[in-house]
Amino acid sequence: MREAPLMEHLEELRSRILWALVAWIAMTAVAFVFRIELLALLERPLAIYNATARVKADLQVLNITEPFVTSFKIAAFGGLALALPFIVYQIWAFIAPGLYSHERRLAVPFLLGAGFSFAVGVVFAYYVFLPYAVPFLLSFLGDLVKPNISLGQYMSQILAFLGVMGIVFEMPVVSYLVARLGLLSSRFLMQNWRVAIVLLITLAAVITPTVDVFNLALISVPLLILYAISILTARLGERGHLRAAQQTTG
């Protein structure tokens, strides 16, 4: 295979980044049309708190630009979620020319797996964790204070958590891909499970906006399960790499 000059690689990278940005902007415009509906969905954890609390929490805007800026944040997150498969494809298309033909066939499973895993992470955060975490935080001082929450800060925190969980849930897909390319082994993951537990619990503590054991466990347990699944997917990736190597040498 001919080695392309450095400038040609840089031009290809620029083109891929440009197309990814165009897709993100286009999907952000689509999501902006539905910003009211998206905002109502993101208010659900707060509504769960208000359904049982004696002191209700109100979302407030603190300056005249906050509604627009917050709407743009919501639309940008929704646009990123919608454009994610295309963005991942652009990344894959950039690195694919340097791979063997059997490695390039991983594109479709990788794209589907990445999109599905991100969606599962967002759904887990939205339906499992946030309905417990937000009421816990707001009721921490009981009825002594009335929660008056900035709309922008609330949405930024909710979107950040949804995004982080979506990325974290990519762990099994990434493990499979890296193992399929021969860069990771399930044996390595199994041998370092103690280190992984410490790192994952530390990550859960960073992600979790609460200090109680229950909410920490809500994040830690799924992360540990994801690590176990990553070992299995890495093993599957190893087998695929071995079969491809045998076909190449045979």
Side-chain angles (χ1 to χ4, degrees):
M1 180 182 300
R2 180 181 64 88
E3 292 292 334
L6 176 60
M7 293 304 298
E8 188 174 329
H9 282 300
L10 293 177
E11 179 63 25
E12 173 72 10
L13 178 60
R14 187 192 69 84
S15 176
R16 296 298 177 185
I17 293 175
L18 180 61
W19 278 112
L21 288 176
V22 169
W24 186 8
I25 293 172
M27 291 299 99
T28 297
V30 173
F32 192 83
V33 176
F34 300 96
R35 62 191 181 280
I36 303 300
E37 292 80 2
L38 293 174
L39 187 140
L41 287 175
L42 294 173
E43 283 184 336
R44 177 176 176 268
L46 191 62
I48 292 175
Y49 166 80
N50 284 333
T52 58
R54 287 184 294 179
V55 179
K56 309 301 181 183
D58 297 322
L59 286 178
Q60 300 181 349
V61 293
L62 304 181
N63 56 71
I64 60 176
T65 61
E66 191 169 359
F68 174 78
V69 173
T70 302
S71 297
F72 182 78
K73 288 180 182 179
I74 295 172
F77 182 86
L80 180 61
L82 293 173
L84 184 62
F86 183 79
I87 294 173
V88 174
Y89 168 76
Q90 293 300 319
I91 297 173
W92 181 266
F94 176 71
I95 65 175
L99 303 176
Y100 293 106
S101 59
H102 64 272
E103 293 173 335
R104 289 196 291 268
R105 288 195 293 268
L106 296 173
V108 173
F110 176 68
L111 292 173
L112 294 176
F116 177 76
S117 298
F118 186 86
V120 170
V122 171
V123 168
F124 170 82
Y126 183 78
Y127 284 104
V128 177
F129 181 72
L130 289 176
Y132 291 98
V134 171
F136 174 84
L137 289 170
L138 292 177
S139 61
F140 198 75
L141 292 178
D143 299 338
L144 294 177
V145 296
K146 174 178 173 57
N148 294 315
I149 307 168
S150 164
L151 173 67
Q153 290 183 345
Y154 173 83
M155 289 300 168
S156 294
Q157 292 172 342
I158 296 297
L159 292 175
F161 189 83
L162 293 176
V164 168
M165 291 307 298
I167 293 173
V168 168
F169 270 64
E170 300 283 359
M171 193 189 312
V173 177
V174 174
S175 296
Y176 174 83
L177 178 65
V178 178
R180 187 68 168 77
L181 297 176
L183 304 176
L184 178 70
S185 67
S186 58
R187 181 181 180 86
F188 174 82
L189 295 177
M190 294 178 65
Q191 288 177 340
N192 293 276
W193 65 270
R194 294 180 180 86
V195 177
I197 288 177
V198 174
L199 293 177
L200 291 175
I201 292 179
T202 302
L203 176 62
V206 173
I207 295 174
T208 307
T210 66
V211 293
D212 65 301
V213 176
F214 177 73
N215 282 301
L216 180 62
L218 276 178
I219 298 298
S220 300
V221 172
L223 289 183
L224 296 176
I225 294 175
L226 284 173
Y227 187 78
I229 296 174
S230 297
I231 295 176
L232 298 177
T233 57
R235 184 170 298 176
L236 293 175
E238 285 177 321
R239 293 175 181 176
H241 177 72
L242 180 60
R243 287 194 300 268
Q246 291 174 345
Q247 292 175 359
T248 302
T249 56

